[in-house]
Amino acid sequence: MSFREEYKHCNVPAQHPDHPALSVWVKCQRRQYKLYTDNKRSNMTTERIERLSSVGFVWKPRMVNSSASSSSSSTSSSSSSL
């Protein structure tokens, strides 16, 4: 079973005990993407970015996590006013 099928998302953490090799690969892709977007030397290509993005690859997991936590905190604050 793939990570995406098991967890229903592609936001692989930097360290995952059940998928250590995948975590290392994802961390490398994110690093290469960062270098690429900063116009630094990188092995990343536009084609790879497009292919990974098309399957839901998460390039900036902190942004995803912070938006999820801010939406949950706004949900909890609105439910507390009920």
Side-chain angles (χ1 to χ4, degrees):
M1 178 181 294
S2 74
F3 183 93
R4 184 171 144 185
E5 291 170 346
E6 186 176 348
Y7 295 97
K8 309 296 185 230
H9 63 78
C10 293
N11 190 7
V12 180
Q15 295 179 343
H16 195 287
D18 296 336
H19 303 279
L22 177 62
S23 292
V24 170
W25 183 84
V26 166
K27 192 173 176 180
C28 181
Q29 299 309 302
R30 289 176 177 151
R31 176 71 180 138
Q32 291 300 313
Y33 175 78
K34 171 81 170 106
L35 292 170
Y36 181 86
T37 58
D38 289 344
N39 292 319
K40 296 183 179 173
R41 194 164 145 191
S42 169
N43 294 325
M44 186 56 65
T45 64
T46 304
E47 294 81 17
R48 187 183 308 166
I49 293 169
E50 289 170 359
R51 289 183 72 190
L52 289 171
S53 294
S54 73
V55 297
F57 189 88
V58 177
W59 296 105
K60 297 179 179 180
R62 290 182 181 152
M63 294 185 80
V64 171
N65 291 338
S66 65
S67 65
S69 64
S70 66
S71 67
S72 67
S73 65
S74 65
T75 304
S76 60
S77 64
S78 37
S79 62
S80 64
S81 63
L82 296 174

